[in-house]
Amino acid sequence: MRASRLLTSQTLPSLLAALLLSLAAACTESKPPGDGSAARTTPTPAPAAATPEAAAMPAAPPTGPRIELAEASPTDLRECVKRVYRDAVTVEGGRPDNYVTGDFNGDGSQDIAVVVRPARGKLDELNDELANWILVDPHQVSTPDDPKPTPTPGAAPARVSVAQGDTLLAVIHGHKEEGWRNPAATQTYLLRNAVGSDLKARPRAPGRTPDVISETLSGREGFLMWNGARYFWRPGN
């Protein structure tokens, strides 16, 4: 009996020590939640870069119906032109086709192009570099199939200048549903050498925008078209 008690007193501490070592090892191998270690995740693949061909494709046409506004009266034309140009130009009232409407820049809002003339004594204001309108000669604007020569590095591009006897086309881009009638519609281009006969608006392609302005200019049929920054002239076939 005494030998048995002696054996028990000697082995019990060893067994307790072994048990404690086993528990410590188990705690070391397991990582409790919230220990700061980041969970392993599968990285999300980056989207494929757009190909040049896809980037060059035109934007899809608006899915909704084309916004059509009522025809412009002579009073509408005068008020619209006065809002944008104040008294620098006057509406040409002696011709039946003195305006045309359409979505010329493809933003879904109706624009207007009005035939105007410089008001007397307003040439300095019309040709002012800080004016709210952009003077453009569409025949000087590069087209995708007819690039203009690159100007000499450091040389300033030739500025378009309005003369007193010019007949001009004032293109006013519309804003939202009200189009060119919206008081906020003030983005405008003043086109020189761009007024012909039989002005009409037609889609650039069936069911697509922007529209183009078709006319006969200097005896030749052609189109005024928007390239995203300026209007250019493209002769018809």
Side-chain angles (χ1 to χ4, degrees):
M1 175 68 79
R2 185 177 181 180
S4 175
R5 289 178 178 176
L6 180 60
L7 179 61
T8 303
S9 63
Q10 292 176 348
T11 58
L12 185 57
S14 299
L15 292 175
L16 290 174
L19 179 60
L20 291 174
L21 289 174
S22 299
L23 290 175
C27 291
T28 302
E29 293 176 358
S30 63
K31 292 183 178 180
D35 63 348
S37 60
R40 177 175 296 179
T41 58
T42 303
T44 302
T51 63
E53 292 78 7
M57 291 181 64
T63 55
R66 179 189 292 267
I67 297 176
E68 298 290 350
L69 302 178
E71 291 187 4
S73 67
T75 301
D76 293 332
L77 296 180
R78 287 193 299 269
E79 290 179 351
C80 177
V81 169
K82 186 175 181 61
R83 183 187 73 233
V84 177
Y85 291 91
R86 300 184 295 277
D87 57 351
V89 298
T90 59
V91 176
E92 177 63 44
R95 50 183 294 165
D97 57 342
N98 64 346
Y99 82 94
V100 62
T101 59
D103 184 7
F104 304 130
N105 64 343
D107 64 353
S109 185
Q110 190 183 80
D111 313 316
I112 191 168
V114 186
V115 180
V116 298
R117 287 185 177 273
R120 188 166 300 278
K122 296 296 182 177
L123 289 183
D124 289 343
E125 183 176 345
L126 280 172
N127 292 313
D128 189 347
E129 294 184 6
L130 301 181
N132 293 328
W133 45 86
I134 300 175
L135 289 173
V136 179
D137 185 336
H139 300 270
Q140 298 178 6
V141 179
S142 297
T143 65
D145 52 357
D146 182 25
K148 298 294 185 291
T150 303
T152 304
R159 292 192 68 250
V160 177
S161 181
V162 174
Q164 187 62 58
D166 287 343
T167 303
L168 309 168
L169 192 65
V171 182
I172 301 171
H173 288 167
H175 185 67
K176 297 185 176 180
E177 291 81 5
E178 294 177 82
W180 56 269
R181 299 176 189 267
N182 193 317
T186 56
Q187 185 187 60
T188 181
Y189 292 79
L190 200 57
L191 309 185
R192 189 172 185 266
N193 297 327
V195 178
S197 60
D198 197 24
L199 272 69
K200 294 179 181 178
R202 63 177 62 180
R204 181 176 296 191
R208 302 293 298 269
T209 56
D211 295 326
V212 300
I213 299 174
S214 69
E215 61 177 335
T216 301
L217 187 60
S218 299
R220 187 173 185 181
E221 295 182 358
F223 309 93
L224 290 171
M225 308 176 71
W226 173 252
N227 68 0
R230 295 285 192 277
Y231 285 91
F232 65 91
W233 170 258
R234 171 168 287 175
N237 296 328

PDB file of all heavy atoms in Angstrom, residues 220-221 223 235-237:
ATOM      1  N   ARG A 220     -23.519  73.547-104.683  1.00  0.00           N
ATOM      2  CA  ARG A 220     -23.197  72.155-104.402  1.00  0.00           C
ATOM      3  C   ARG A 220     -23.923  71.689-103.153  1.00  0.00           C
ATOM      4  O   ARG A 220     -23.889  72.373-102.118  1.00  0.00           O
ATOM      5  CB  ARG A 220     -21.698  71.978-104.220  1.00  0.00           C
ATOM      6  CG  ARG A 220     -21.268  70.519-104.087  1.00  0.00           C
ATOM      7  CD  ARG A 220     -19.761  70.393-104.088  1.00  0.00           C
ATOM      8  NE  ARG A 220     -19.352  68.997-104.088  1.00  0.00           N
ATOM      9  CZ  ARG A 220     -18.083  68.588-104.069  1.00  0.00           C
ATOM     10  NH1 ARG A 220     -17.100  69.488-104.048  1.00  0.00           N
ATOM     11  NH2 ARG A 220     -17.787  67.308-104.081  1.00  0.00           N
ATOM     12  N   GLU A 221     -24.569  70.535-103.235  1.00  0.00           N
ATOM     13  CA  GLU A 221     -25.251  69.990-102.076  1.00  0.00           C
ATOM     14  C   GLU A 221     -24.248  69.422-101.086  1.00  0.00           C
ATOM     15  O   GLU A 221     -23.205  68.884-101.473  1.00  0.00           O
ATOM     16  CB  GLU A 221     -26.244  68.904-102.500  1.00  0.00           C
ATOM     17  CG  GLU A 221     -27.386  69.414-103.362  1.00  0.00           C
ATOM     18  CD  GLU A 221     -28.377  68.318-103.711  1.00  0.00           C
ATOM     19  OE1 GLU A 221     -28.142  67.162-103.307  1.00  0.00           O
ATOM     20  OE2 GLU A 221     -29.378  68.630-104.376  1.00  0.00           O
ATOM     21  N   PHE A 223     -23.500  68.915 -96.384  1.00  0.00           N
ATOM     22  CA  PHE A 223     -24.019  68.800 -95.028  1.00  0.00           C
ATOM     23  C   PHE A 223     -23.117  69.538 -94.045  1.00  0.00           C
ATOM     24  O   PHE A 223     -21.892  69.516 -94.164  1.00  0.00           O
ATOM     25  CB  PHE A 223     -24.107  67.331 -94.603  1.00  0.00           C
ATOM     26  CG  PHE A 223     -24.823  66.456 -95.585  1.00  0.00           C
ATOM     27  CD1 PHE A 223     -24.115  65.770 -96.561  1.00  0.00           C
ATOM     28  CD2 PHE A 223     -26.201  66.335 -95.546  1.00  0.00           C
ATOM     29  CE1 PHE A 223     -24.764  64.965 -97.476  1.00  0.00           C
ATOM     30  CE2 PHE A 223     -26.869  65.535 -96.461  1.00  0.00           C
ATOM     31  CZ  PHE A 223     -26.151  64.842 -97.428  1.00  0.00           C
ATOM     32  N   PRO A 235     -19.176  67.898 -98.443  1.00  0.00           N
ATOM     33  CA  PRO A 235     -19.916  67.900 -99.708  1.00  0.00           C
ATOM     34  C   PRO A 235     -20.645  66.585 -99.902  1.00  0.00           C
ATOM     35  O   PRO A 235     -20.186  65.517 -99.471  1.00  0.00           O
ATOM     36  CB  PRO A 235     -18.831  68.120-100.767  1.00  0.00           C
ATOM     37  CG  PRO A 235     -17.658  68.666-100.023  1.00  0.00           C
ATOM     38  CD  PRO A 235     -17.729  68.080 -98.646  1.00  0.00           C
ATOM     39  N   GLY A 236     -21.798  66.660-100.569  1.00  0.00           N
ATOM     40  CA  GLY A 236     -22.532  65.442-100.891  1.00  0.00           C
ATOM     41  C   GLY A 236     -21.867  64.680-102.015  1.00  0.00           C
ATOM     42  O   GLY A 236     -20.966  65.177-102.700  1.00  0.00           O
ATOM     43  N   ASN A 237     -22.303  63.452-102.196  1.00  0.00           N
ATOM     44  CA  ASN A 237     -21.726  62.632-103.264  1.00  0.00           C
ATOM     45  C   ASN A 237     -22.228  63.079-104.639  1.00  0.00           C
ATOM     46  O   ASN A 237     -23.323  63.568-104.786  1.00  0.00           O
ATOM     47  CB  ASN A 237     -22.109  61.165-103.050  1.00  0.00           C
ATOM     48  CG  ASN A 237     -21.493  60.640-101.764  1.00  0.00           C
ATOM     49  OD1 ASN A 237     -20.402  61.066-101.370  1.00  0.00           O
ATOM     50  ND2 ASN A 237     -22.196  59.729-101.091  1.00  0.00           N
TER      51      ASN A 237
END
